[in-house]
Amino acid sequence: MSKIKVYDAIMGSGKTYDAIERMKSYLKDDKSFIYITPFLSEIDRIMDSLPINSVYAPLGPGEKGEGKYDYNIDYCDESGNIDLNSEGSYQYLNKRAQFLKLCNKKRNIVSTHSLFMNLKKDDYSLFDDYILILDEVVNPLNVFNIGAKDIEILTNENLIIIDQETSEVKFIDDEYNDNAFKEVKRICNNSTVFFLDKYFFVWVFPIEIFKGFQRVEILTYLFKGSLLSSYFKMYNIDYKINYNNEEDHLRSIKKLLNVYEGSANYNESLNSFSKTWIKNLNKKNLKKVVNSTEYIFKKVFKTNTEENAFTTFKAFRQKLSGNGYTKGFIPINARATNIFKSKKSMAFLGNRYHDPQTVHFFKERGVILDDDIWALSELLQWVWRGRIRDNKPMNLFIPNSRMRKLLNDWLEGKFVSNGQSNKGFLKAV
């Protein structure tokens, strides 16, 4: 039986509430758990939902740790070393060190994605008695453009070796302390790194961490399109998906979403609003996009500036900003936050694809990425930052025909998984 269980359900269907109820039962059964959430703001919500002093959160600089955060294991020695069994009192620990000490004490923990992703592969041994509850997927890899010349230097100076069969990179000079390749040494020593396409190193989150947990629960939606799903396939890790019935949800959402269909859309170009397409726009055509977006907000949706939101790729934010919506920018990869839930009208000026290096990396390992399911998942996560998350009517402008079709197909139920009957077992191969 797989020890990884995915709770795959649409946003707003109660995944977090159900997880809190499971955590309450784990407390009664004296089972240890770690809850990982995307945002600091969610930590208080989780802690306030559980009995006081039953769960702990690593503290940042300046946080006093009063009340429910109190514990006395927040120090390391004067050299910065962590002694998991010591109660020494020389200096304040960073959050990762606190996290590890809490694990060593078998405390229940709530923390963030960013801290979780800083774990090292040697940390796995602390988690064998824990249940991991991961709220939303993490990105398990990062592509670094090192450059062919620097990789040549690293190899010729005997700082690294590259396995000819697996392409794994090992940093072999333990005494190297210069700044030039300090970061390369760090990522190689803390996780698994692969050489790719002459110019790139690919950092991969240590699979030892996931394997180290007694059980893993993942709360997300459209998991099969995520990079975490592909990562598990790459390592031949089985997982079980538990689906919810989506049909009733989709019917109500379809009534609430007003998706613009009109002449301002780019119906003929599937690649419109991709990074390359936007980058190649001249000033005249950039102005055309801005004018169209302004028109949609003002004349079609007829909403006020504070009610409007838009997104595009970070590099083009200023180029595609316009009157009546500039201040409502929401990052294109936003998820799990509710600070934009007052937005009535939203414009998605993007077209999402995996970067070529990520596609190539997985393809070399026999895993084919599904751009469409991933793009749909990213789009839905962004859309659900607006007032639709509270089941209120909302307007959408998605000028790219591919992204708009993905959304409309989803609303028609064409992406509903075979989990309607809660089958949902998927073996990753």
Side-chain angles (χ1 to χ4, degrees):
M1 179 183 292
S2 172
K3 72 175 184 177
I4 298 178
K5 187 172 184 178
V6 181
Y7 293 86
D8 195 302
I10 196 169
M11 297 73 65
S13 58
K15 294 189 296 292
T16 302
Y17 173 83
D18 290 343
I20 290 171
E21 294 304 302
R22 287 197 300 276
M23 284 186 277
K24 290 177 181 178
S25 70
Y26 297 155
L27 290 172
K28 290 179 181 178
D29 295 338
D30 200 26
K31 294 179 180 178
S32 300
F33 60 83
I34 296 173
Y35 187 96
I36 300 296
T37 179
F39 291 102
L40 278 170
S41 58
E42 282 290 289
I43 289 179
D44 279 341
R45 175 191 173 192
I46 300 301
M47 298 186 78
D48 289 341
S49 300
L50 298 171
I52 193 166
N53 295 326
S54 66
V55 63
Y56 297 82
L59 302 172
E63 295 175 313
K64 295 180 181 179
E66 297 174 349
K68 59 179 177 277
Y69 292 97
D70 271 341
Y71 48 87
N72 297 311
I73 54 173
D74 57 347
Y75 295 97
C76 59
D77 69 26
E78 56 191 351
S79 300
N81 299 315
I82 306 167
D83 183 346
L84 295 177
N85 297 304
S86 171
E87 299 292 350
S89 56
Y90 292 101
Q91 68 182 53
Y92 191 78
L93 284 179
N94 62 33
K95 284 190 175 185
R96 178 182 169 273
Q98 292 179 52
F99 184 93
L100 296 180
K101 274 208 161 186
L102 286 168
C103 289
N104 194 56
K105 296 284 185 179
K106 297 304 177 187
R107 304 290 179 88
N108 300 309
I109 304 168
V110 56
S111 192
T112 61
H113 280 199
S114 58
L115 190 151
F116 182 75
M117 297 307 289
N118 278 324
L119 295 176
K120 302 177 181 180
K121 55 187 173 184
D122 292 338
D123 297 335
Y124 76 93
S125 60
L126 291 170
F127 307 132
D128 55 353
D129 291 329
Y130 275 101
I131 299 167
L132 171 66
I133 306 166
L134 185 60
D135 188 355
E136 286 301 341
V137 295
V138 293
N139 186 351
L141 77 162
N142 197 1
V143 179
F144 293 87
N145 189 344
I146 304 296
K149 188 65 177 177
D150 279 353
I151 293 174
E152 182 181 341
I153 293 171
L154 283 161
T155 304
N156 291 342
E157 293 296 321
N158 293 316
L159 298 177
I160 65 169
I161 55 172
I162 301 174
D163 189 292
Q164 296 302 306
E165 290 188 12
T166 65
S167 297
E168 186 173 348
V169 181
K170 297 283 189 182
F171 203 100
I172 56 175
D173 189 342
D174 292 336
E175 297 181 358
Y176 179 86
N177 288 312
D178 292 346
N179 288 325
F181 299 113
K182 186 178 181 180
E183 182 66 5
V184 174
K185 181 179 180 180
R186 185 189 69 82
I187 63 173
C188 286
N189 287 345
N190 293 345
S191 188
T192 305
V193 175
F194 296 94
F195 172 64
L196 179 72
D197 289 350
K198 189 178 179 180
Y199 300 96
F200 305 98
F201 282 174
V202 180
W203 169 91
V204 179
F205 184 75
I207 193 62
E208 293 88 351
I209 298 297
F210 282 107
K211 288 181 175 180
F213 284 97
Q214 183 183 103
R215 190 162 80 246
V216 177
E217 300 176 0
I218 301 172
L219 320 178
T220 191
Y221 184 53
L222 295 177
F223 180 72
K224 288 192 291 185
S226 71
L227 287 181
L228 191 61
S229 169
S230 298
Y231 163 87
F232 288 150
K233 292 175 186 177
M234 182 179 78
Y235 282 111
N236 293 315
I237 302 295
D238 292 346
Y239 53 82
K240 179 180 179 180
I241 301 184
N242 188 68
Y243 294 102
N244 273 8
N245 191 324
E246 297 178 8
E247 292 180 341
D248 292 341
H249 236 108
L250 290 175
R251 276 193 290 269
S252 62
I253 292 167
K254 189 175 180 180
K255 293 177 182 178
L256 294 172
L257 276 182
N258 172 35
V259 183
Y260 171 81
E261 298 287 354
S263 59
N265 287 327
Y266 286 69
N267 292 314
E268 302 303 320
S269 176
L270 291 175
N271 291 322
S272 65
F273 292 91
S274 65
K275 285 183 180 179
T276 302
W277 186 88
I278 299 174
K279 182 179 179 181
N280 291 334
L281 285 179
N282 57 33
K283 289 185 178 181
K284 179 181 178 181
N285 287 325
L286 278 170
K287 184 61 177 174
K288 181 181 176 182
V289 172
V290 171
N291 288 344
S292 295
T293 308
E294 290 176 349
Y295 173 82
I296 295 298
F297 280 126
K298 186 176 181 180
K299 299 295 185 180
V300 180
F301 296 157
K302 298 178 181 179
T303 42
N304 300 322
T305 299
E306 63 273 12
E307 297 172 323
N308 298 334
F310 87 107
T311 198
T312 189
F313 303 101
K314 184 178 179 180
F316 310 119
R317 174 179 176 178
Q318 295 303 319
K319 289 183 178 181
L320 294 183
S321 294
N323 293 327
Y325 64 88
T326 296
K327 293 182 180 179
F329 180 78
I330 303 174
I332 202 166
N333 59 350
R335 58 175 61 225
T337 179
N338 62 6
I339 62 175
F340 306 106
K341 65 180 181 179
S342 64
K343 300 301 181 181
K344 291 183 179 180
S345 299
M346 302 175 73
F348 190 89
L349 308 181
N351 186 5
R352 305 297 305 276
Y353 292 95
H354 288 296
D355 68 82
Q357 290 76 37
T358 299
V359 172
H360 187 191
F361 174 78
F362 278 110
K363 188 175 181 180
E364 281 189 340
R365 288 153 183 81
V367 179
I368 305 301
L369 302 183
D370 191 320
D371 264 328
D372 283 349
I373 296 181
W374 177 77
L376 173 63
S377 174
E378 293 292 297
L379 172 63
L380 292 176
Q381 289 289 348
W382 186 83
V383 168
W384 252 254
R385 298 317 101 214
R387 58 185 269 154
I388 189 68
R389 67 184 291 113
D390 289 333
N391 294 314
K392 295 179 179 179
M394 197 174 82
N395 304 305
L396 273 180
F397 176 45
I398 308 176
N400 169 257
S401 60
R402 169 180 173 256
M403 297 299 293
R404 192 170 63 257
K405 185 176 187 302
L406 287 173
L407 177 67
N408 287 329
D409 284 351
W410 174 75
L411 289 170
E412 294 296 331
K414 295 180 181 179
F415 284 91
V416 171
S417 302
N418 63 339
Q420 294 175 32
S421 60
N422 251 6
K423 294 178 189 177
F425 183 79
L426 175 67
K427 185 175 182 180
V429 292

